[in-house]
Amino acid sequence: MILVGHDPASAVYVRNKVRACEAAGIHSFTHRLHEKVENEELLNLITRLNADPSVHGILVQLPLPAHIDMARILETIAPSKDVDGFHLYNVGALVTGNTVFSPCTPYGVVKLLEHEGIPVEGQNVVVVGASNIVGKPMALMLMARDATVAICHAKARDLAQFTIGADILVVAAGVPGLITAPMVKKGAVVIDVGINRLEDGKIVGDVDFAGVSRRASHITPVPGGVGPMTVTMLLVNTIESAERFYAAQRTAS
Ligand code: NAP
């Protein structure tokens, strides 16, 4: 793991990932770099980790400081070690149905749905949020499972007009209280990806949990819903990467 700077939320995410690795028996190293680190230093570190056969997963905690060329950083990570699934090659692989690593947050959502036995095929899914790390891969992964998917973003006109039709509603906008009960169909499955810290320090999602839980058939809490699944899928991707590495070594020998 590579952590640049002192963003408190990023530090918490990295700490949670380190603990989860320990619990699962995965050996993790955290490289903490100064917030003014130069692009070249970061690129050199990634190049070293790419070449290290004892490393099977490389994660650069986002967001990065503004002076860092994020696209270049992500493209420098070897696709075979890109356990976050953010490298352009892996994005293309996901789009074309040749997934190498599924991005961890939407992967966690898919696993939650599978675990609860919630069918996706033919369902009307609405994804609120269209970011590269959550909304877009979420939509692609559910489309690949034969859902009919609509994606809404900040400029969507009359958001409720879309959300009310959703059998499965995935919300990843980063706006506390964005989704209220009248916007949700009775019996819908509601997945709240949002993590928002209010002024009083309380962590809430994007969904009004108290109101919406009275209409939904299933709903994820924040904290404690999608967040832990994201960390879990990072471990899954890392183990998958290690298994692929050793399988390739066995084939070569
Ligand atoms: P992001 O990059 O800021 O993207 C937010 C997306 O939501 C954008 O597509 C934006 O639209 C859209 N949006 C913003 N306001 C909206 C509104 N009023 N109505 C409809 N769409 C709106 O955020 P992100 O990285 O995807 O993260 C989203 C949320 O999930 C954040 O709260 C983040 O902390 C959380 N998160 C949680 C996990 C987890 O493990 N649980 C992992 C990652 C992120 P535009 O494209 O038009 O700007």
Side-chain angles (χ1 to χ4, degrees), residues 65-87:
H67 72 281
I68 299 285
D69 183 348
M70 185 180 76
R72 202 167 151 219
I73 298 299
L74 296 181
E75 282 164 43
T76 303
I77 299 173
S80 61
K81 298 188 180 188
D82 171 39
V83 286
D84 256 342
F86 295 158
H87 188 286

PDB file of all heavy atoms in Angstrom, residues 65-87:
ATOM      1  N   PRO A  65      -2.518  13.927  -3.865  1.00  0.00           N
ATOM      2  CA  PRO A  65      -2.409  15.390  -3.930  1.00  0.00           C
ATOM      3  C   PRO A  65      -2.480  15.874  -5.381  1.00  0.00           C
ATOM      4  O   PRO A  65      -2.118  15.142  -6.306  1.00  0.00           O
ATOM      5  CB  PRO A  65      -1.027  15.665  -3.327  1.00  0.00           C
ATOM      6  CG  PRO A  65      -0.706  14.464  -2.506  1.00  0.00           C
ATOM      7  CD  PRO A  65      -1.386  13.297  -3.171  1.00  0.00           C
ATOM      8  N   ALA A  66      -2.960  17.123  -5.542  1.00  0.00           N
ATOM      9  CA  ALA A  66      -3.259  17.647  -6.885  1.00  0.00           C
ATOM     10  C   ALA A  66      -2.052  17.649  -7.825  1.00  0.00           C
ATOM     11  O   ALA A  66      -2.209  17.514  -9.046  1.00  0.00           O
ATOM     12  CB  ALA A  66      -3.831  19.056  -6.756  1.00  0.00           C
ATOM     13  N   HIS A  67      -0.814  17.799  -7.275  1.00  0.00           N
ATOM     14  CA  HIS A  67       0.352  17.901  -8.167  1.00  0.00           C
ATOM     15  C   HIS A  67       0.767  16.527  -8.729  1.00  0.00           C
ATOM     16  O   HIS A  67       1.605  16.446  -9.632  1.00  0.00           O
ATOM     17  CB  HIS A  67       1.553  18.534  -7.430  1.00  0.00           C
ATOM     18  CG  HIS A  67       2.175  17.631  -6.408  1.00  0.00           C
ATOM     19  ND1 HIS A  67       1.634  17.440  -5.154  1.00  0.00           N
ATOM     20  CD2 HIS A  67       3.287  16.845  -6.462  1.00  0.00           C
ATOM     21  CE1 HIS A  67       2.394  16.591  -4.480  1.00  0.00           C
ATOM     22  NE2 HIS A  67       3.403  16.215  -5.247  1.00  0.00           N
ATOM     23  N   ILE A  68       0.183  15.467  -8.213  1.00  0.00           N
ATOM     24  CA  ILE A  68       0.547  14.119  -8.692  1.00  0.00           C
ATOM     25  C   ILE A  68      -0.295  13.777  -9.927  1.00  0.00           C
ATOM     26  O   ILE A  68      -1.500  14.016  -9.961  1.00  0.00           O
ATOM     27  CB  ILE A  68       0.299  13.063  -7.584  1.00  0.00           C
ATOM     28  CG1 ILE A  68       1.153  13.347  -6.341  1.00  0.00           C
ATOM     29  CG2 ILE A  68       0.515  11.655  -8.095  1.00  0.00           C
ATOM     30  CD1 ILE A  68       2.605  12.997  -6.470  1.00  0.00           C
ATOM     31  N   ASP A  69       0.373  13.208 -10.930  1.00  0.00           N
ATOM     32  CA  ASP A  69      -0.300  12.807 -12.166  1.00  0.00           C
ATOM     33  C   ASP A  69      -0.931  11.431 -11.928  1.00  0.00           C
ATOM     34  O   ASP A  69      -0.306  10.395 -12.158  1.00  0.00           O
ATOM     35  CB  ASP A  69       0.746  12.767 -13.296  1.00  0.00           C
ATOM     36  CG  ASP A  69       0.142  12.428 -14.636  1.00  0.00           C
ATOM     37  OD1 ASP A  69      -1.042  12.007 -14.671  1.00  0.00           O
ATOM     38  OD2 ASP A  69       0.852  12.581 -15.644  1.00  0.00           O
ATOM     39  N   MET A  70      -2.183  11.449 -11.459  1.00  0.00           N
ATOM     40  CA  MET A  70      -2.816  10.199 -11.030  1.00  0.00           C
ATOM     41  C   MET A  70      -2.898   9.173 -12.175  1.00  0.00           C
ATOM     42  O   MET A  70      -2.621   7.995 -11.980  1.00  0.00           O
ATOM     43  CB  MET A  70      -4.213  10.471 -10.483  1.00  0.00           C
ATOM     44  CG  MET A  70      -4.859   9.225  -9.914  1.00  0.00           C
ATOM     45  SD  MET A  70      -6.492   9.545  -9.272  1.00  0.00           S
ATOM     46  CE  MET A  70      -7.436   9.665 -10.763  1.00  0.00           C
ATOM     47  N   ALA A  71      -3.254   9.658 -13.365  1.00  0.00           N
ATOM     48  CA  ALA A  71      -3.406   8.726 -14.488  1.00  0.00           C
ATOM     49  C   ALA A  71      -2.091   7.993 -14.745  1.00  0.00           C
ATOM     50  O   ALA A  71      -2.064   6.767 -14.928  1.00  0.00           O
ATOM     51  CB  ALA A  71      -3.843   9.482 -15.733  1.00  0.00           C
ATOM     52  N   ARG A  72      -0.980   8.743 -14.695  1.00  0.00           N
ATOM     53  CA  ARG A  72       0.333   8.136 -14.958  1.00  0.00           C
ATOM     54  C   ARG A  72       0.686   7.143 -13.847  1.00  0.00           C
ATOM     55  O   ARG A  72       1.235   6.073 -14.109  1.00  0.00           O
ATOM     56  CB  ARG A  72       1.380   9.254 -15.047  1.00  0.00           C
ATOM     57  CG  ARG A  72       2.602   8.831 -15.800  1.00  0.00           C
ATOM     58  CD  ARG A  72       3.472  10.014 -16.138  1.00  0.00           C
ATOM     59  NE  ARG A  72       4.857   9.561 -16.201  1.00  0.00           N
ATOM     60  CZ  ARG A  72       5.877  10.245 -15.755  1.00  0.00           C
ATOM     61  NH1 ARG A  72       5.700  11.440 -15.211  1.00  0.00           N
ATOM     62  NH2 ARG A  72       7.094   9.761 -15.857  1.00  0.00           N
ATOM     63  N   ILE A  73       0.365   7.504 -12.621  1.00  0.00           N
ATOM     64  CA  ILE A  73       0.653   6.619 -11.486  1.00  0.00           C
ATOM     65  C   ILE A  73      -0.098   5.306 -11.664  1.00  0.00           C
ATOM     66  O   ILE A  73       0.484   4.210 -11.571  1.00  0.00           O
ATOM     67  CB  ILE A  73       0.243   7.294 -10.142  1.00  0.00           C
ATOM     68  CG1 ILE A  73       1.038   8.574  -9.901  1.00  0.00           C
ATOM     69  CG2 ILE A  73       0.360   6.317  -8.976  1.00  0.00           C
ATOM     70  CD1 ILE A  73       2.521   8.433  -9.792  1.00  0.00           C
ATOM     71  N   LEU A  74      -1.403   5.398 -11.941  1.00  0.00           N
ATOM     72  CA  LEU A  74      -2.209   4.176 -12.045  1.00  0.00           C
ATOM     73  C   LEU A  74      -1.764   3.321 -13.227  1.00  0.00           C
ATOM     74  O   LEU A  74      -1.800   2.095 -13.159  1.00  0.00           O
ATOM     75  CB  LEU A  74      -3.699   4.520 -12.153  1.00  0.00           C
ATOM     76  CG  LEU A  74      -4.309   5.217 -10.926  1.00  0.00           C
ATOM     77  CD1 LEU A  74      -5.795   5.487 -11.133  1.00  0.00           C
ATOM     78  CD2 LEU A  74      -4.097   4.399  -9.647  1.00  0.00           C
ATOM     79  N   GLU A  75      -1.323   3.969 -14.297  1.00  0.00           N
ATOM     80  CA  GLU A  75      -0.901   3.212 -15.477  1.00  0.00           C
ATOM     81  C   GLU A  75       0.475   2.580 -15.294  1.00  0.00           C
ATOM     82  O   GLU A  75       0.878   1.729 -16.084  1.00  0.00           O
ATOM     83  CB  GLU A  75      -0.902   4.106 -16.717  1.00  0.00           C
ATOM     84  CG  GLU A  75      -2.292   4.313 -17.252  1.00  0.00           C
ATOM     85  CD  GLU A  75      -2.369   5.473 -18.212  1.00  0.00           C
ATOM     86  OE1 GLU A  75      -1.473   5.613 -19.052  1.00  0.00           O
ATOM     87  OE2 GLU A  75      -3.332   6.246 -18.085  1.00  0.00           O
ATOM     88  N   THR A  76       1.197   3.006 -14.266  1.00  0.00           N
ATOM     89  CA  THR A  76       2.527   2.432 -14.032  1.00  0.00           C
ATOM     90  C   THR A  76       2.432   1.120 -13.240  1.00  0.00           C
ATOM     91  O   THR A  76       3.316   0.271 -13.324  1.00  0.00           O
ATOM     92  CB  THR A  76       3.409   3.466 -13.285  1.00  0.00           C
ATOM     93  OG1 THR A  76       3.456   4.642 -14.079  1.00  0.00           O
ATOM     94  CG2 THR A  76       4.822   2.962 -13.077  1.00  0.00           C
ATOM     95  N   ILE A  77       1.350   0.962 -12.505  1.00  0.00           N
ATOM     96  CA  ILE A  77       1.168  -0.288 -11.752  1.00  0.00           C
ATOM     97  C   ILE A  77       0.996  -1.432 -12.755  1.00  0.00           C
ATOM     98  O   ILE A  77       0.205  -1.320 -13.702  1.00  0.00           O
ATOM     99  CB  ILE A  77      -0.077  -0.199 -10.841  1.00  0.00           C
ATOM    100  CG1 ILE A  77       0.083   0.932  -9.815  1.00  0.00           C
ATOM    101  CG2 ILE A  77      -0.346  -1.530 -10.141  1.00  0.00           C
ATOM    102  CD1 ILE A  77      -1.165   1.214  -8.991  1.00  0.00           C
ATOM    103  N   ALA A  78       1.730  -2.527 -12.560  1.00  0.00           N
ATOM    104  CA  ALA A  78       1.582  -3.676 -13.459  1.00  0.00           C
ATOM    105  C   ALA A  78       0.134  -4.160 -13.411  1.00  0.00           C
ATOM    106  O   ALA A  78      -0.401  -4.370 -12.317  1.00  0.00           O
ATOM    107  CB  ALA A  78       2.513  -4.795 -13.020  1.00  0.00           C
ATOM    108  N   PRO A  79      -0.525  -4.314 -14.564  1.00  0.00           N
ATOM    109  CA  PRO A  79      -1.929  -4.755 -14.547  1.00  0.00           C
ATOM    110  C   PRO A  79      -2.138  -6.036 -13.733  1.00  0.00           C
ATOM    111  O   PRO A  79      -3.166  -6.198 -13.098  1.00  0.00           O
ATOM    112  CB  PRO A  79      -2.255  -4.969 -16.027  1.00  0.00           C
ATOM    113  CG  PRO A  79      -1.338  -4.036 -16.737  1.00  0.00           C
ATOM    114  CD  PRO A  79      -0.066  -4.000 -15.920  1.00  0.00           C
ATOM    115  N   SER A  80      -1.126  -6.912 -13.719  1.00  0.00           N
ATOM    116  CA  SER A  80      -1.268  -8.185 -12.995  1.00  0.00           C
ATOM    117  C   SER A  80      -1.202  -8.003 -11.478  1.00  0.00           C
ATOM    118  O   SER A  80      -1.490  -8.934 -10.731  1.00  0.00           O
ATOM    119  CB  SER A  80      -0.179  -9.162 -13.436  1.00  0.00           C
ATOM    120  OG  SER A  80       1.084  -8.610 -13.123  1.00  0.00           O
ATOM    121  N   LYS A  81      -0.772  -6.804 -11.013  1.00  0.00           N
ATOM    122  CA  LYS A  81      -0.722  -6.533  -9.570  1.00  0.00           C
ATOM    123  C   LYS A  81      -1.711  -5.436  -9.173  1.00  0.00           C
ATOM    124  O   LYS A  81      -1.732  -5.015  -8.018  1.00  0.00           O
ATOM    125  CB  LYS A  81       0.700  -6.111  -9.157  1.00  0.00           C
ATOM    126  CG  LYS A  81       1.744  -7.197  -9.397  1.00  0.00           C
ATOM    127  CD  LYS A  81       3.097  -6.826  -8.805  1.00  0.00           C
ATOM    128  CE  LYS A  81       4.112  -7.946  -9.060  1.00  0.00           C
ATOM    129  NZ  LYS A  81       5.378  -7.714  -8.337  1.00  0.00           N
ATOM    130  N   ASP A  82      -2.510  -5.001 -10.132  1.00  0.00           N
ATOM    131  CA  ASP A  82      -3.420  -3.866  -9.926  1.00  0.00           C
ATOM    132  C   ASP A  82      -4.706  -4.364  -9.249  1.00  0.00           C
ATOM    133  O   ASP A  82      -5.772  -4.440  -9.870  1.00  0.00           O
ATOM    134  CB  ASP A  82      -3.713  -3.239 -11.301  1.00  0.00           C
ATOM    135  CG  ASP A  82      -4.797  -2.198 -11.259  1.00  0.00           C
ATOM    136  OD1 ASP A  82      -4.839  -1.425 -10.284  1.00  0.00           O
ATOM    137  OD2 ASP A  82      -5.619  -2.175 -12.208  1.00  0.00           O
ATOM    138  N   VAL A  83      -4.597  -4.686  -7.953  1.00  0.00           N
ATOM    139  CA  VAL A  83      -5.717  -5.323  -7.254  1.00  0.00           C
ATOM    140  C   VAL A  83      -6.897  -4.383  -7.016  1.00  0.00           C
ATOM    141  O   VAL A  83      -7.975  -4.836  -6.628  1.00  0.00           O
ATOM    142  CB  VAL A  83      -5.248  -5.963  -5.924  1.00  0.00           C
ATOM    143  CG1 VAL A  83      -4.470  -7.232  -6.203  1.00  0.00           C
ATOM    144  CG2 VAL A  83      -4.406  -4.986  -5.100  1.00  0.00           C
ATOM    145  N   ASP A  84      -6.717  -3.088  -7.273  1.00  0.00           N
ATOM    146  CA  ASP A  84      -7.841  -2.148  -7.224  1.00  0.00           C
ATOM    147  C   ASP A  84      -8.608  -2.138  -8.551  1.00  0.00           C
ATOM    148  O   ASP A  84      -9.733  -1.651  -8.614  1.00  0.00           O
ATOM    149  CB  ASP A  84      -7.321  -0.711  -6.963  1.00  0.00           C
ATOM    150  CG  ASP A  84      -7.558  -0.274  -5.524  1.00  0.00           C
ATOM    151  OD1 ASP A  84      -8.392  -0.892  -4.840  1.00  0.00           O
ATOM    152  OD2 ASP A  84      -6.903   0.699  -5.097  1.00  0.00           O
ATOM    153  N   GLY A  85      -7.958  -2.631  -9.619  1.00  0.00           N
ATOM    154  CA  GLY A  85      -8.619  -2.678 -10.927  1.00  0.00           C
ATOM    155  C   GLY A  85      -8.753  -1.331 -11.614  1.00  0.00           C
ATOM    156  O   GLY A  85      -9.645  -1.134 -12.434  1.00  0.00           O
ATOM    157  N   PHE A  86      -7.833  -0.396 -11.318  1.00  0.00           N
ATOM    158  CA  PHE A  86      -7.954   0.965 -11.872  1.00  0.00           C
ATOM    159  C   PHE A  86      -7.071   1.204 -13.096  1.00  0.00           C
ATOM    160  O   PHE A  86      -7.181   2.241 -13.751  1.00  0.00           O
ATOM    161  CB  PHE A  86      -7.611   2.023 -10.815  1.00  0.00           C
ATOM    162  CG  PHE A  86      -8.575   2.063  -9.651  1.00  0.00           C
ATOM    163  CD1 PHE A  86      -8.194   2.607  -8.437  1.00  0.00           C
ATOM    164  CD2 PHE A  86      -9.860   1.560  -9.777  1.00  0.00           C
ATOM    165  CE1 PHE A  86      -9.082   2.655  -7.364  1.00  0.00           C
ATOM    166  CE2 PHE A  86     -10.764   1.593  -8.709  1.00  0.00           C
ATOM    167  CZ  PHE A  86     -10.366   2.152  -7.500  1.00  0.00           C
ATOM    168  N   HIS A  87      -6.134   0.282 -13.381  1.00  0.00           N
ATOM    169  CA  HIS A  87      -5.273   0.461 -14.565  1.00  0.00           C
ATOM    170  C   HIS A  87      -6.141   0.450 -15.831  1.00  0.00           C
ATOM    171  O   HIS A  87      -7.123  -0.304 -15.909  1.00  0.00           O
ATOM    172  CB  HIS A  87      -4.260  -0.692 -14.620  1.00  0.00           C
ATOM    173  CG  HIS A  87      -3.212  -0.493 -15.674  1.00  0.00           C
ATOM    174  ND1 HIS A  87      -3.470  -0.643 -17.021  1.00  0.00           N
ATOM    175  CD2 HIS A  87      -1.908  -0.154 -15.582  1.00  0.00           C
ATOM    176  CE1 HIS A  87      -2.370  -0.410 -17.709  1.00  0.00           C
ATOM    177  NE2 HIS A  87      -1.400  -0.100 -16.860  1.00  0.00           N
TER     178      HIS A  87
END
